[in-house]
Amino acid sequence: MQFLALSRLCTDRYSDEDFAPLLEDEAQRARTLYIEGSVRQIWYRGDKRGACSILEADSEPAARAMIESLPLVKAGMLELEHLVPLLPYRGFGPR
C-alpha cells in the first residue's frame, strides 16, 4: 500500500544552525529507506520547508514508523502534518 506523507520543519522553534548537524544523517536515513523500497519518491515542498514523499508500507502504523525513524523527527525538529493512504485510480483500469 502507498501513502502520501507531508512533513514540515519546525522553523518556528529551531534555526538553520540547529538543523545543520542532523542534515547528513537525515539524508542518509532517507537514502536507506529509498534503497529498501520503502520511500518511492521524495521532494522538498514548495509551499514551506519540509518534504513530501510517497511511501510503500503494509499499514499506516508501518508508514508512521518509517517517518519516525528519521533523525529530525526523533529530535522533534520535523513533524508529520499529513499521512494519507493512497488508492488506485480506477480511470486507468480496463473498461
Side-chain angles (χ1 to χ4, degrees), residues 51-87:
C52 174
S53 53
I54 302 292
L55 308 176
E56 188 76 38
D58 292 333
S59 64
E60 185 173 322
R64 285 186 184 282
M66 277 182 235
I67 297 297
E68 290 169 359
S69 75
L70 296 168
L72 287 173
V73 173
K74 288 180 179 182
M77 302 171 93
L78 180 74
E79 70 177 19
L80 181 62
E81 288 189 317
H82 301 284
L83 184 62
V84 181
L86 301 175
L87 301 173

Side-chain angles (χ1 to χ4, degrees), residues 24-43:
E24 185 52 39
D25 290 342
E26 183 80 2
Q28 182 56 48
R29 182 64 185 140
R31 281 190 293 272
T32 298
L33 290 169
Y34 180 80
I35 290 167
E36 292 173 351
S38 299
V39 171
R40 295 296 186 161
Q41 297 179 45
I42 190 167
W43 305 269

